[in-house]
Amino acid sequence: MCRVLAYIGPEISLEQLLLTPTNSLINQALNPELHPELQLAGWGFGAWGEHLLRPEEPLVYHRPMAAFYDDNAGTLLPSLQASTVLAHVRAAAYDSKVVIADENCHPFSYEGTRWIVAQNGYLPGWQLLQRELLQHCKDEYLRQMRGSTDTEFIYVLLLSLLQGDRDEDVQRAVEELLRLVAGAMQSLNLPGLTKLKMALVSQDRVIGINWGLGHEGEVDPAGDWRELRKAEAGTKEFDLGMLLEPMHLLLGRNFDKDPGTYGFEECTEEEATAAVFASEPLTDDEWLPLEYGSIVFLTKDGERVTRRVEELSI
């Protein structure tokens, strides 16, 4: 799986957010702590900031190479600051069939929607599942597909199912998406481990999702992810552990005042002014887990950032 990071809060240098810290997202491309593979298949980010010439639109950047090899990172990131960020480093199977191209780099961003998306997930057999799922996809989004990844197709399907931009609308669309995927797998007899570990982001909002299906397409796979992750990488047990493991949250304040670290000033959640949602903890701070089967809504409301967690169900 890939690695994802989303941020909302006061404007912050993208260098400070993505590049400088020891365990930054870009460094995770080479040395992820919770993933057995390198993230060498590309990277990118989307960012909103009041000092950009179009502050209401995300500035989106992609490169189809390992992030630490991108010679633009050292000059581009120190020149930008943003208050909402979604960044991603892409992992892909070590296989010549994998397409390493700009079109397959996250985050994905379409016209006609405020949302951009990135994930460290997986939808097996998605090309065949389209026979059942394309009927639920809107033409306005299908026409914008440029790449050949499962994530972009999930993005199209999710946007097509959205009936509004409220938190309740997003949760309903996510639940309907997984119901349709599970139904398509059953109809075509193509069950498989499905990971929906994603960040859906718009200006001043981050929605984090940690959900999926088990190896047989079951909605509520059982197991202790810590024990399962002790299995050998590449086994069914290990992969199920990666599905069931949590995503991670950090809330605090004065993040922008501490260059080079992810260290927030300690405060109560009611006093938090910034938040990070990520695939894995980036520091030794006490991160909050987003458990499997959950969705988190992070919203910037004035100077505060609020958090609401709900359970997902079909």
Side-chain angles (χ1 to χ4, degrees), residues 225-237:
W225 71 268
R226 296 175 183 83
E227 292 300 317
L228 291 165
R229 284 296 300 269
K230 294 177 182 178
E232 184 178 351
T235 62
K236 282 191 172 184
E237 292 79 7

Side-chain angles (χ1 to χ4, degrees), residues 227-248:
E227 292 300 317
L228 291 165
R229 284 296 300 269
K230 294 177 182 178
E232 184 178 351
T235 62
K236 282 191 172 184
E237 292 79 7
F238 185 88
D239 291 344
L240 182 59
M242 292 186 69
L243 169 66
L244 297 177
E245 70 183 5
M247 300 288 279
H248 303 275

Side-chain angles (χ1 to χ4, degrees), residues 1 41 45 51 69 93 107-108 111 149 197 218 291-292 314:
M1 294 192 294
F45 65 82
H51 291 95
Y69 279 141
F108 295 98
E111 294 181 3
T149 66
K197 293 175 175 283
E218 65 271 30
E291 301 293 351
Y292 176 81
I314 296 179

Side-chain angles (χ1 to χ4, degrees), residues 119-139:
Q119 76 159 347
N120 59 331
Y122 177 57
L123 177 59
W126 68 274
Q127 297 94 334
L128 298 179
L129 292 175
Q130 287 181 101
R131 287 188 297 184
E132 295 287 329
L133 297 174
L134 279 172
Q135 61 184 307
H136 304 285
C137 296
K138 294 182 178 179
D139 291 350

Side-chain angles (χ1 to χ4, degrees), residues 152-227:
E152 188 174 11
F153 180 68
I154 289 171
Y155 182 48
V156 168
L157 182 56
L158 181 58
L159 292 178
S160 301
L161 295 172
L162 278 172
Q163 299 298 314
D165 289 326
R166 299 176 306 164
D167 292 351
E168 295 79 4
D169 298 320
V170 175
Q171 180 169 345
R172 189 178 301 113
V174 170
E175 292 172 340
E176 177 68 2
L177 185 152
L178 195 66
R179 186 187 69 80
L180 291 172
V181 167
M185 286 180 169
Q186 184 176 36
S187 177
L188 298 175
N189 194 26
L190 292 170
L193 190 76
T194 301
K195 304 184 186 82
L196 294 181
K197 293 175 175 283
M198 66 173 63
L200 188 67
V201 176
S202 65
Q203 189 171 25
D204 295 333
R205 293 175 70 189
V206 170
I207 298 177
I209 300 157
N210 186 10
W211 210 19
L213 300 168
H215 287 289
E216 302 304 319
E218 65 271 30
V219 176
D220 298 311
D224 182 333
W225 71 268
R226 296 175 183 83
E227 292 300 317

